[in-house]
Amino acid sequence: MSGTTTGATNGLAKRVTGQVHVIGAGLLGASIGLGLRAHGTEVTLEDASPTTALLAADYGAGRARTPEDPEPVLVVVATPPDVVADVVARALETYPDSVVTDVASVKLAPFLELRRRGVDLTNYVGSHPMGGRERGGAIMARADLFVARPWIICRDEETPAAALALIEAVALELGATPLEMTPQEHDRAVGLVSHLPQAVASLLAGRLLPASDQAIALAGQGLRDTTRIAASDPELWVQILGANREPVVEGLDALQADLAAFTDALREPEAPGARRRLADLLAAGVRGVSRIPGKHGSSERFTTITVLIDDRPGQLAALLTELGDLGINMEDLRLEHSPGAQIGFAEIAVLPEVAERAVADLTERGWRTL
Amino acid sequence: MSGTTTGATNGLAKRVTGQVHVIGAGLLGASIGLGLRAHGTEVTLEDASPTTALLAADYGAGRARTPEDPEPVLVVVATPPDVVADVVARALETYPDSVVTDVASVKLAPFLELRRRGVDLTNYVGSHPMGGRERGGAIMARADLFVARPWIICRDEETPAAALALIEAVALELGATPLEMTPQEHDRAVGLVSHLPQAVASLLAGRLLPASDQAIALAGQGLRDTTRIAASDPELWVQILGANREPVVEGLDALQADLAAFTDALREPEAPGARRRLADLLAAGVRGVSRIPGKHGSSERFTTITVLIDDRPGQLAALLTELGDLGINMEDLRLEHSPGAQIGFAEIAVLPEVAERAVADLTERGWRTL
């Protein structure tokens, strides 16, 4: 196993040498495959659904294993959480010399289940790369899904150093930041920063169902942001929340107490101290949100320029053609427009060094930029 | 008052002629000043705080009134909600020939208060431009704050047509979309799409206060988005929520019932139907968020077709030009691509009735669709 990293002094220069086998070719598995292949690592794939495996392969995330392939140095289990323990146990048996990791978003339940079955866990290191999107599937995969994101590694005292180093090398190769935690620490932390917001966003979004069209038409960025992750797959989240029940229920109970206190204070504004209680709860929110570290990663690599476009056919095509003529490479594009408005915005991500020239050139050609 | 708009047939060609006086030079007042001045309208400003008024003036939002100034055609009251009725009453008295509007985010309470005082409201038209930011103050002002946002105008049967036309002209000049509603309709709608999310985001963010640094370090985009608006000014929100108590309490009560049902189901997963209740509540969130219009193809009014594009410059422009040639109107566009992937996706929202033909035509011309 000592050949799995180059042992370079700079962590970022580490390389994964040898094949990596990914089981489960959805969003996470395909993104890991894409990212590792971009760095020259050979990746093989399998999925319970042959269609999904083929789609991920077409997308460039890896290829099917053949009988000629050597045993992989690493097996990454990227299946839904409720089958993780099964698939990890099977992988440890099928590939006795491979390190096996999983990337499930809960860490204690699968670990306890593997322990309960008496599986030899010497070669197993649980991990959790904290990248994700509200929509899953291989077609949403991105090689940069984990860039600048934490990649939690759940080692214990029996984890061989080489196995740990291998997972770290994978995390670093994909641009993530490896962090060590116990499964318990991990589950408490994600219960608060990931699972609780998911439940809250879903319940808030559910309140929109009985609303009038007139009310929905007034929705703005605040509502969009607070409910964005509510678009996530319910089936997956029933599994995740169920597997991390204790921390999530604790968080929901605490939130419910705050919600009751807030509602009571708003209902009876003349009760002694009611306005003060409202203000205190709102101020706690201000302090809470200020604890969240700044946005890291892919977005900071680019500068966004905003171009106003008239809402008529062909305007966006004309803008993009113009950008191409100007030799400006568009790294990302986001369109903002509102039904009924005559104007929309194209938010175009470009490399910082070309942003100023792009704005000048576009302005000169009659485009309005913000 | 008939001189306040040009009466042009095209809404966008309307102009506000004459001075506009803005009372309250915070985020909204200064943004209105900036936007109107950008269109050549003369803007004067006042604020209870001379420092704020000077800051907004320095920022380009307008200048102080002088004794030589004529009576403004329009007075815009952009003060905190709890003094809106006072300031509107005073403005109607000070400028008896001016139309007076306010831009407070609650509409019924100030209207009822003005009625209760017996103020002649002939020249008053309440309005609410739905632009905002989580941080206030003149220094956060933007001329484009209201572009493509709804601007609700609360007329009643006594509102003179010319006064209504003037507010509409201001809204259009600032790029907003004027919408008419009664104060009651307005307050119910914003209670749901703006005030309820604010309360929820604040309470969720407040749960981060007792969290460990280790947990906070795992925060990702989901938590950032769900809590972003919790950074808003608590004092302002105590006023807003207090002034729209009834709809907000109703929304909070409904949310609390859902939260209790969700938490109970998670606490007792083996209870009959518990997993189903969790899944149903999460699925309601998926359907709820899909009702929000205007971005990322999430609207159910359109069908999304996904076209594979090679990751080389000019491909997207070529696709959009092709769509234009085919006479297919693109309602929204979302781009998915990853630096490590060989292909990207363009998710294009079109009217359901043209989706099939669009796929057929694009396929015939060599584009790959999913």
Side-chain angles (χ1 to χ4, degrees):
Chain A
M1 207 55 66
S2 63
T4 52
T5 68
T6 61
T9 50
N10 179 342
L12 278 173
K14 282 179 183 164
R15 276 272 173 276
V16 180
T17 57
Q19 285 188 10
V20 173
H21 184 57
V22 176
I23 305 178
L27 172 66
L28 296 186
S31 293
I32 289 169
L34 278 177
L36 289 175
R37 291 196 66 228
H39 285 81
T41 301
E42 204 172 344
V43 177
T44 56
L45 286 173
E46 68 174 274
D47 194 285
S49 153
T51 314
T52 300
L54 285 171
L55 180 64
D58 282 351
Y59 196 45
R63 58 166 177 80
R65 270 182 73 79
T66 66
E68 290 72 42
D69 281 315
E71 182 159 339
V73 294
L74 175 67
V75 178
V76 178
V77 173
T79 63
D82 61 348
V83 295
V84 158
D86 278 348
V87 179
V88 166
R90 182 162 55 79
L92 288 167
E93 201 177 295
T94 312
Y95 308 106
D97 295 328
S98 304
V99 172
V100 175
T101 191
D102 75 300
V103 296
S105 50
V106 286
K107 295 269 67 78
L108 188 60
F111 178 73
L112 292 179
E113 174 63 16
L114 287 163
R115 273 269 170 95
R116 195 187 63 76
R117 297 184 190 188
V119 176
D120 175 1
L121 296 176
T122 310
N123 285 341
Y124 168 71
V125 188
S127 77
H128 179 206
M130 305 252 333
R133 319 189 67 178
E134 68 274 23
R135 297 161 73 188
I139 65 158
M140 299 303 283
R142 304 181 56 126
D144 64 353
L145 190 66
F146 311 108
V147 169
R149 301 294 309 135
W151 189 306
I152 295 112
I153 303 175
C154 292
R155 75 174 307 175
D156 58 38
E157 56 281 7
E158 292 151 39
T159 306
L164 186 69
L166 178 59
I167 311 292
E168 276 182 354
V170 167
L172 291 168
E173 195 149 298
L174 296 174
T177 306
L179 289 178
E180 285 185 31
M181 287 188 183
T182 66
Q184 288 85 348
E185 287 169 342
H186 168 273
D187 283 9
R188 284 202 70 76
V190 297
L192 179 69
V193 303
S194 167
H195 304 173
L196 183 62
Q198 178 64 50
V200 169
S202 293
L203 294 175
L204 178 60
R207 298 311 318 153
L208 300 176
L209 271 185
S212 68
D213 288 345
Q214 191 186 42
I216 295 283
L218 301 189
Q221 199 54 41
L223 182 67
R224 269 190 213 109
D225 283 353
T226 47
T227 59
R228 179 182 58 84
I229 56 174
S232 306
D233 179 18
E235 206 181 319
L236 175 66
W237 275 99
V238 170
Q239 290 183 29
I240 294 174
L241 297 172
N244 197 23
R245 185 157 47 244
E246 219 173 290
V248 177
V249 165
E250 197 182 300
L252 289 169
D253 281 342
L255 185 74
Q256 209 166 339
D258 288 349
L259 186 56
F262 192 86
T263 310
D264 288 347
L266 191 58
R267 204 190 318 266
E268 304 284 358
E270 305 308 334
R275 282 194 185 79
R276 171 67 189 272
R277 279 197 297 282
L278 284 180
D280 284 350
L281 284 162
L282 293 169
V286 175
R287 291 201 308 283
V289 75
S290 75
R291 293 196 66 194
I292 304 176
K295 189 173 175 174
H296 299 302
S298 54
S299 67
E300 286 185 345
R301 291 179 299 144
F302 303 119
T303 299
T304 299
I305 59 178
T306 304
V307 185
L308 274 71
I309 46 176
D310 290 340
D311 194 10
R312 16 177 249 265
Q315 280 291 289
L316 186 61
L319 172 63
L320 299 188
T321 304
E322 196 110 78
L323 281 173
D325 292 348
L326 291 166
I328 293 159
N329 205 27
M330 182 178 70
E331 304 292 341
D332 207 350
L333 169 69
R334 197 166 90 131
L335 202 64
E336 288 278 352
H337 81 142
S338 153
Q342 288 92 346
I343 311 180
F345 298 97
E347 294 184 341
I348 295 167
V350 297
L351 288 171
E353 54 267 31
V354 305
E356 199 179 327
R357 179 172 65 84
V359 169
D361 286 355
L362 286 172
T363 306
E364 195 183 313
R365 293 187 176 211
W367 295 94
R368 286 175 295 161
T369 60
L370 294 177
Chain B
M1 207 57 64
S2 62
T4 52
T5 67
T6 61
T9 50
N10 179 340
L12 274 176
K14 281 180 183 165
R15 277 274 173 276
V16 180
T17 58
Q19 286 188 10
V20 173
H21 183 57
V22 177
I23 305 178
L27 172 66
L28 296 186
S31 293
I32 290 168
L34 279 177
L36 289 175
R37 291 195 68 226
H39 285 80
T41 301
E42 203 172 344
V43 177
T44 55
L45 286 173
E46 68 175 273
D47 195 283
S49 153
T51 314
T52 300
L54 285 171
L55 180 65
D58 281 351
Y59 202 51
R63 59 167 176 80
R65 270 182 73 80
T66 67
E68 289 72 43
D69 282 314
E71 181 159 340
V73 293
L74 174 67
V75 178
V76 178
V77 174
T79 63
D82 61 348
V83 295
V84 159
D86 278 347
V87 179
V88 166
R90 183 163 52 82
L92 288 166
E93 201 177 294
T94 311
Y95 308 106
D97 295 328
S98 304
V99 172
V100 176
T101 191
D102 75 301
V103 297
S105 49
V106 287
K107 295 269 68 80
L108 188 60
F111 178 73
L112 292 179
E113 174 62 17
L114 288 163
R115 273 271 169 94
R116 196 187 61 78
R117 297 184 190 187
V119 176
D120 175 0
L121 296 177
T122 310
N123 285 342
Y124 168 71
V125 188
S127 76
H128 178 206
M130 305 246 342
R133 317 187 71 178
E134 66 272 25
R135 296 186 198 282
I139 63 160
M140 298 302 284
R142 305 175 52 129
D144 65 349
L145 191 66
F146 311 108
V147 170
R149 302 293 310 135
W151 189 308
I152 295 112
I153 302 174
C154 292
R155 75 174 305 176
D156 58 38
E157 57 280 7
E158 291 151 39
T159 306
L164 186 69
L166 177 60
I167 312 291
E168 276 182 355
V170 167
L172 291 168
E173 194 150 296
L174 296 174
T177 306
L179 290 178
E180 284 185 32
M181 288 189 182
T182 67
Q184 288 86 348
E185 287 170 341
H186 168 273
D187 282 9
R188 285 203 70 76
V190 297
L192 179 70
V193 303
S194 167
H195 304 173
L196 183 63
Q198 178 64 50
V200 169
S202 293
L203 295 175
L204 178 60
R207 297 313 315 153
L208 300 176
L209 272 185
S212 68
D213 288 345
Q214 191 186 41
I216 296 285
L218 301 189
Q221 199 53 43
L223 181 66
R224 262 185 222 114
D225 284 352
T226 47
T227 59
R228 179 181 58 84
I229 55 175
S232 305
D233 179 18
E235 205 181 320
L236 175 67
W237 275 98
V238 169
Q239 290 184 28
I240 295 174
L241 297 172
N244 198 22
R245 185 157 46 244
E246 220 173 290
V248 177
V249 165
E250 197 181 302
L252 287 169
D253 281 342
L255 185 74
Q256 209 166 337
D258 288 349
L259 185 57
F262 192 85
T263 310
D264 288 347
L266 191 58
R267 204 189 318 266
E268 304 283 359
E270 305 307 333
R275 282 195 185 78
R276 171 66 189 274
R277 279 197 297 281
L278 284 180
D280 284 350
L281 284 163
L282 292 169
V286 175
R287 292 201 308 283
V289 76
S290 76
R291 293 195 66 193
I292 304 176
K295 215 170 96 170
H296 288 187
S298 56
S299 167
E300 285 179 341
R301 293 179 304 136
F302 303 121
T303 300
T304 299
I305 59 178
T306 304
V307 184
L308 276 71
I309 46 177
D310 290 341
D311 195 10
R312 20 175 245 267
Q315 280 289 292
L316 185 61
L319 171 63
L320 299 188
T321 304
E322 196 110 78
L323 280 172
D325 291 349
L326 291 166
I328 294 160
N329 204 27
M330 182 177 70
E331 305 292 343
D332 206 349
L333 168 71
R334 186 166 119 136
L335 195 65
E336 288 287 342
H337 85 139
S338 151
Q342 289 97 337
I343 37 178
F345 298 92
E347 295 184 339
I348 295 166
V350 297
L351 289 172
E353 54 268 32
V354 304
E356 199 179 329
R357 178 172 67 83
V359 168
D361 286 354
L362 287 171
T363 306
E364 195 183 315
R365 293 186 176 211
W367 295 93
R368 286 175 295 161
T369 60
L370 291 176

